[in-house]
Amino acid sequence: MEASERTLEKVFLCGGVYAGNFKGLLPHGKGKYTWSDGTTYEGDWEEGKMTGKGRISWASGATYEGDFSGNYLHGFGTFTGSDGSLYTGGWRMNSQHGIGRKQYQNSDVYDGCWKEGKREGSGRYAWSNSNMYIGSWKNGKMSGRGVMKWLNGDLFDGFWSNGLRHGTGCYRFADGGYYFGTWTKGFKDGQGTFYPAGNKHSARRKSSADKNGEKKKRLLVHSSSVNSENSVRPHVRRSHSEKISNTLLRCSSQTSHRTSSLREDSALDDISVDMSFDASSRYSDDDQSGLQGDSSVAFEREYMQGVLIKERVRSISGLSLKSKKRYKFHAKEVKSKSCVDIFEGHRRYYLMLNLQLGIRYTVGKITPVPAREVRSSDFGERARIRMYFPRKGSQFTPPHYSIDFYWKDYCPMVFRNLREMFKLNAAEYMMSICGDDGLRELSSPGKSGSIFFLSGDDRFVIKTLKRSELKVFLRMLPRYYRHVSQHENTLITKFFGLHRIKLKHGKKVRFVVMGNMFCTELRIHRRYDLKGSSHGRFTKKDKIDEGTTLKDLDLTYEFHMDKLLRESLFKQLSLDCEFLESQQIIDYSLLLGLHFRAPEHLKALLEPPDSLHKPASAQATLGGMTSQGELSIPPRGLLLVTHEPSSVSTEPGPHIRGSTLRAMSVGDKEVDLLLPGTARLRVQLGVNMPAQANLKVLQDKTDSAEVELFEVYDVVLYLGIIDILQEYNVRKKLEHTCKSLQFDPMSISVVEPKLYSRRFINFLERVFPVAP
């Protein structure tokens, strides 16, 4: 022992007693501190703070033994709760953090990753009744890809969000039947296919799923995960960490167990989640007998919030290859990073890395510049930031794992102001595009040959441009800036950045960053690209899946909405078309997204999240009710209520800018959209707009049986104007060619801008007619 250290026992005015080594006036070395309520700590001290190995016992009976640092539970240790729960693993600042294993009072066990006291990352949760989940977690809840297996043998392999099935997945029944489809907040929502037990396709899927399941179990044996746990930390109040050393120095300071002592928090509750399987959710015995023996039948189904609305009975041999592969897992219509070679041997993955490096550099460079109004010198090709990014790094750039490239950022001050105008924080912008989640390539690029990437949080779409499109954009940018400044409700695409990458061998790739208008709080069930044209504006049926963007001739609905909402829509459409017309722009489209709501009178038929319905024909007699009687605007299942700013989300997003709309149905007041049992959303132009969709044509043109259960739907609309970089003069050759071939130029978007905008508006007036 050092000469300066001595062993003493000291009683403090607050009632605490310390016995052990001191260094000067501070506990240092081995020692024991006892609080007035009986809580004790015995172990290592360093200059007045619990640091090193030690053990603390609370008056409630809870104990912790392990590493301490600066009065915090920090490192590796074991916490035993007074309720019998046991956690062994990593700690950081009094919270479970890192790899750890917790056994709950009810014998449930979680083994996996933790972050600040909550399950986050990969983990495995085993219920005491033998149900088990292995997969990803976020903020204490099942989120991301994961596998849930029930005691009875049923299994779900797919995507989760906030503790519920959400996204694409496969539900395998214990008897061998499969359902491949999509879920929203725990309910089937959208298109899917059911393969009854016994068919060959189901057998092949079973073999593949079993192999994948075994592989997952091997990979996640130490780190794999039910639902929310509000707080899993033993509540060690941080205020104590600052007070304890002062207590030892100044006896006048109080270390009250009631307000600042180390203790076990009663918030260490067990997870309470009903993940049991409900036998009533299975199809009936009669159905099973009818399906079990038929190995050549599959059912293509479509759901709205768990209600079956359409069903087609198809033979397995009649299903196209595309249909069979339709429900391969993909997150929000995207696929993982692609290493497919393009651009003279360079990979798209390198392009993504280069784009992230460049955006991080230029946003970081322009953000500290004091805000100011844009000047004429801020526009044009000469307004740019250029930088060389060698692989080894330089004085101005970091080393990286991509290839050497040259970076150019066009009009940085203009886009910096646009981002602020659109209420987009620079840090959020960088984290969205350049964060750990990275970029994902969209699976279905357009006919233009452009490559599309989606940011990790789905807020931004990044598209490659042709040189001609870049020139059009730079020429149009000053007036675009003025237009969006003057019209906060504009439906024209929001642009956030314009960049160019030059690869080592001279290939130039140009990118534009845009807002993703389908980054919404509600699921998009249908999407359409509408030009008001007829030539080639349809999609072949065998190429349609849930992620397909349909065209003009595929649209079989017309939409009725509140009178004031419709007036606001067409007023802004006219202003936006006038702007595009002034810039000689043609060939633009209205991108329309539809979120369907299940009819209210059928909510009683809502199936449990994992159930299989009887064939739709058994319920067809219920469907005609919605097509009778007068239309209700707004729809009965969607309620417009007076706007309350405190009741709707104000988190930054692609639709944060724009005023709240007024509706006649609530007395010309600003309104919110209330979805019973779901959400309350702010109604903006092109965002969360309620309407009633009338099915104009019943599609029954296939050889297979198809039943439409409803003719009228409650829908929520999302819309915006896209593809605004095509100039009129670029298409003159096509116009001449079409005339020589005796095609009608009016049918293929080869018309002068004024005529194009007029035809565009006229078409939309037919799609959104005045309500009767």
Side-chain angles (χ1 to χ4, degrees):
M1 182 185 300
E2 295 182 6
S4 59
E5 294 184 12
R6 59 194 187 282
T7 302
L8 296 172
E9 181 173 307
K10 186 172 182 178
V11 179
F12 295 91
L13 293 178
C14 57
V17 178
Y18 174 79
N21 297 332
F22 282 82
K23 183 178 181 180
L25 297 177
L26 299 175
H28 189 86
K30 299 289 185 181
K32 179 179 180 180
Y33 188 90
T34 303
W35 281 264
S36 59
D37 67 349
T39 298
T40 62
Y41 168 80
E42 185 170 5
D44 296 332
W45 294 79
E46 186 174 309
E47 297 183 352
K49 295 184 178 181
M50 297 180 291
T51 301
K53 300 289 185 181
R55 174 186 171 86
I56 187 168
S57 300
W58 286 271
S60 64
T63 63
Y64 170 81
E65 184 170 2
D67 296 332
F68 289 79
S69 180
N71 288 336
Y72 291 102
L73 282 60
H74 191 90
F76 185 88
T78 298
F79 178 85
T80 304
S82 59
D83 60 357
S85 61
L86 178 68
Y87 172 82
T88 301
W91 293 81
R92 188 172 77 174
M93 304 288 285
N94 294 341
S95 297
Q96 293 106 318
H97 193 92
I99 303 296
R101 183 178 192 272
K102 182 170 182 178
Q103 181 171 335
Y104 296 85
Q105 180 186 17
N106 62 357
S107 298
D108 290 357
V109 176
Y110 173 77
D111 187 1
C113 298
W114 300 76
K115 183 178 180 181
E116 297 181 355
K118 295 185 178 180
R119 296 179 294 276
E120 183 138 346
S122 298
R124 176 179 59 195
Y125 194 101
W127 283 262
S128 57
N129 63 1
S130 298
N131 292 342
M132 180 180 292
Y133 172 83
I134 301 175
S136 297
W137 295 78
K138 186 174 182 180
N139 198 31
K141 300 179 181 180
M142 299 179 289
S143 292
R145 181 71 179 271
V147 178
M148 179 77 190
K149 187 172 183 178
W150 284 266
L151 173 64
N152 71 338
D154 286 9
L155 180 146
F156 175 80
D157 184 355
F159 289 94
W160 302 73
S161 178
N162 205 33
L164 299 170
R165 285 170 289 277
H166 191 86
T168 54
C170 169
Y171 194 98
R172 187 189 77 187
F173 290 87
D175 61 9
Y178 281 80
Y179 178 80
F180 296 87
T182 55
W183 280 256
T184 298
K185 296 183 178 180
F187 295 102
K188 295 189 184 77
D189 197 16
Q191 297 175 349
T193 304
F194 169 55
Y195 298 94
N199 70 48
K200 297 178 181 179
H201 188 70
S202 177
R204 288 197 298 271
R205 290 287 189 177
K206 183 176 189 297
S207 176
S208 175
D210 287 342
K211 291 179 181 178
N212 290 337
E214 291 302 317
K215 184 177 180 181
K216 276 183 176 289
K217 290 178 182 178
R218 291 197 299 270
L219 290 175
L220 298 173
V221 64
H222 292 299
S223 60
S224 326
S225 51
V226 178
N227 230 350
S228 164
E229 182 177 354
N230 294 330
S231 176
V232 295
R233 69 190 64 173
H235 191 84
V236 187
R237 295 187 181 271
R238 294 194 176 185
S239 59
H240 175 75
S241 302
E242 286 75 27
K243 289 183 179 179
I244 185 169
S245 56
N246 292 334
T247 302
L248 296 171
L249 289 172
R250 300 189 304 274
C251 294
S252 59
S253 300
Q254 294 186 358
T255 312
S256 167
H257 177 74
R258 179 175 55 85
T259 60
S260 60
S261 67
L262 294 165
R263 66 181 180 84
E264 177 201 14
D265 196 326
S266 60
L268 275 166
D269 297 328
D270 294 325
I271 299 172
S272 178
V273 179
D274 182 12
M275 297 299 292
S276 60
F277 181 80
D278 183 2
S280 65
S281 71
R282 300 292 296 273
Y283 47 82
S284 69
D285 293 338
D286 293 337
D287 274 341
Q288 187 173 357
S289 61
L291 300 175
Q292 191 85 357
D294 192 347
S295 63
S296 62
V297 172
F299 297 85
E300 291 188 346
R301 293 173 170 173
E302 185 169 356
Y303 292 85
M304 288 182 191
Q305 296 89 53
V307 176
L308 180 65
I309 64 166
K310 183 188 293 186
E311 181 177 85
R312 295 176 182 172
V313 182
R314 295 283 182 90
S315 65
I316 297 296
S317 58
L319 289 172
S320 66
L321 183 62
K322 182 178 181 66
S323 297
K324 291 182 180 181
K325 294 183 177 180
R326 180 177 300 169
Y327 295 103
K328 273 192 170 182
F329 298 118
H330 53 87
K332 298 186 179 180
E333 295 81 48
V334 301
K335 61 183 181 182
S336 301
K337 296 175 181 177
S338 172
C339 290
V340 178
D341 290 348
I342 62 163
F343 302 133
E344 303 170 2
H346 295 284
R347 294 179 175 180
R348 301 188 188 191
Y349 178 58
Y350 288 143
L351 289 179
M352 288 190 281
L353 286 180
N354 296 349
L355 185 63
Q356 290 175 308
L357 287 165
I359 289 178
R360 187 182 293 118
Y361 172 80
T362 51
V363 173
K365 187 178 179 70
I366 196 68
T367 300
V369 176
R372 62 171 174 81
E373 291 295 325
V374 295
R375 307 163 182 159
S376 58
S377 58
D378 293 323
F379 295 94
E381 287 197 55
R382 292 183 178 274
R384 62 189 183 268
I385 294 176
R386 293 189 293 186
M387 183 56 61
Y388 175 56
F389 284 78
R391 185 184 179 92
K392 294 181 180 180
S394 69
Q395 180 182 356
F396 305 103
T397 62
H400 55 86
Y401 295 102
S402 185
I403 55 178
D404 298 350
F405 68 97
Y406 293 89
W407 171 261
K408 182 184 285 188
D409 184 46
Y410 293 98
C411 309
M413 183 58 72
V414 175
F415 285 104
R416 173 239 174 97
N417 283 17
L418 281 173
R419 290 192 292 269
E420 291 180 354
M421 190 187 303
F422 295 139
K423 302 183 180 181
L424 180 61
N425 180 273
E428 293 174 350
Y429 181 63
M430 279 199 295
M431 287 303 298
S432 178
I433 295 177
C434 309
D436 294 337
D437 291 338
L439 301 175
R440 309 191 301 269
E441 184 187 345
L442 285 173
S443 58
S444 300
K447 290 183 178 179
S448 64
S450 296
I451 302 169
F452 291 83
F453 298 114
L454 199 61
S455 63
D457 58 5
D458 299 335
R459 292 173 64 181
F460 304 103
V461 175
I462 300 174
K463 174 188 176 184
T464 59
L465 296 179
K466 299 175 182 177
R467 185 168 181 269
S468 60
E469 292 175 320
L470 174 67
K471 286 189 172 183
V472 170
F473 193 17
L474 289 173
R475 178 188 59 77
M476 182 179 65
L477 187 56
R479 292 178 178 82
Y480 170 84
Y481 184 88
R482 187 184 311 133
H483 182 78
V484 298
S485 300
Q486 295 172 349
H487 304 286
E488 66 172 350
N489 289 330
T490 181
L491 296 169
I492 293 176
T493 305
K494 295 179 175 67
F495 294 107
F496 301 105
L498 184 62
H499 316 288
R500 191 192 76 181
I501 292 172
K502 182 179 179 182
L503 304 180
K504 189 174 181 180
H505 298 292
K507 180 68 180 181
K508 298 176 182 177
V509 187
R510 303 161 188 88
F511 295 91
V512 64
V513 183
M514 307 175 289
N516 177 17
M517 61 167 281
F518 287 157
C519 180
T520 60
E521 296 178 86
L522 301 178
R523 178 181 179 81
I524 303 297
H525 296 107
R526 292 282 191 281
R527 58 201 74 202
Y528 294 87
D529 181 294
L530 306 175
K531 293 182 182 290
S533 177
S534 58
H535 183 79
R537 301 295 296 167
F538 67 93
T539 309
K540 294 181 180 178
K541 280 197 171 184
D542 62 348
K543 293 186 178 181
I544 296 177
D545 59 30
E546 190 173 12
T548 301
T549 300
L550 305 172
K551 299 178 183 178
D552 302 59
L553 297 179
D554 302 316
L555 184 63
T556 57
Y557 302 98
E558 60 180 27
F559 304 95
H560 298 272
M561 62 177 68
D562 181 277
K563 181 180 178 180
L564 288 183
L565 295 184
R566 184 183 183 278
E567 288 178 359
S568 299
L569 173 63
F570 278 93
K571 179 180 178 181
Q572 190 60 52
L573 279 171
S574 297
L575 291 170
D576 290 339
C577 287
E578 285 177 12
F579 163 72
L580 296 173
E581 182 183 322
S582 71
Q583 300 303 298
Q584 296 293 293
I585 300 299
I586 61 170
D587 212 24
Y588 46 86
S589 308
L590 184 80
L591 188 60
L592 173 65
L594 306 179
H595 169 82
F596 288 88
R597 301 301 294 175
E600 289 296 310
H601 72 280
L602 286 184
K603 288 294 178 69
L605 300 178
L606 184 66
E607 60 170 301
D610 304 317
S611 68
L612 288 173
H613 267 290
K614 298 180 180 180
S617 56
Q619 303 174 9
T621 56
L622 299 171
M625 296 172 61
T626 57
S627 62
Q628 299 176 3
E630 296 182 358
L631 298 178
S632 172
I633 306 298
R636 296 184 180 88
L638 304 173
L639 304 178
L640 286 176
V641 295
T642 304
H643 175 58
E644 293 183 8
S646 61
S647 300
V648 294
S649 174
T650 57
E651 294 183 6
H655 308 299
I656 190 64
R657 184 175 185 251
S659 61
T660 304
L661 297 186
R662 297 175 179 271
M664 179 170 287
S665 58
V666 293
D668 194 14
K669 297 179 181 178
E670 292 185 343
V671 293
D672 295 334
L673 175 61
L674 187 63
L675 305 178
T678 304
R680 180 173 182 149
L681 308 171
R682 188 161 70 109
V683 179
Q684 299 167 263
L685 199 62
V687 183
N688 302 325
M689 298 184 70
Q692 195 162 63
N694 295 336
L695 184 66
K696 295 188 292 186
V697 180
L698 268 178
Q699 296 178 334
D700 190 11
K701 300 178 181 179
T702 62
D703 295 334
S704 61
E706 178 178 342
V707 180
E708 283 283 0
L709 297 186
F710 314 107
E711 296 181 356
V712 179
Y713 301 88
D714 294 340
V715 296
V716 182
L717 306 178
Y718 297 87
L719 43 89
I721 297 175
I722 62 170
D723 295 337
I724 65 168
L725 300 180
Q726 182 64 63
E727 248 185 339
Y728 169 60
N729 58 5
V730 178
R731 302 297 297 268
K732 285 188 175 179
K733 276 189 180 179
L734 287 178
E735 180 180 12
H736 175 74
T737 302
C738 293
K739 286 181 177 178
S740 66
L741 294 175
Q742 297 183 345
F743 288 148
D744 177 10
M746 284 287 290
S747 67
I748 61 164
S749 304
V750 187
V751 294
E752 63 179 13
K754 186 173 184 178
L755 188 56
Y756 185 90
S757 63
R758 187 187 307 163
R759 187 186 66 184
F760 183 71
I761 293 290
N762 289 341
F763 172 74
L764 295 180
E765 285 177 341
R766 295 193 298 273
V767 174
F768 302 97
V770 177

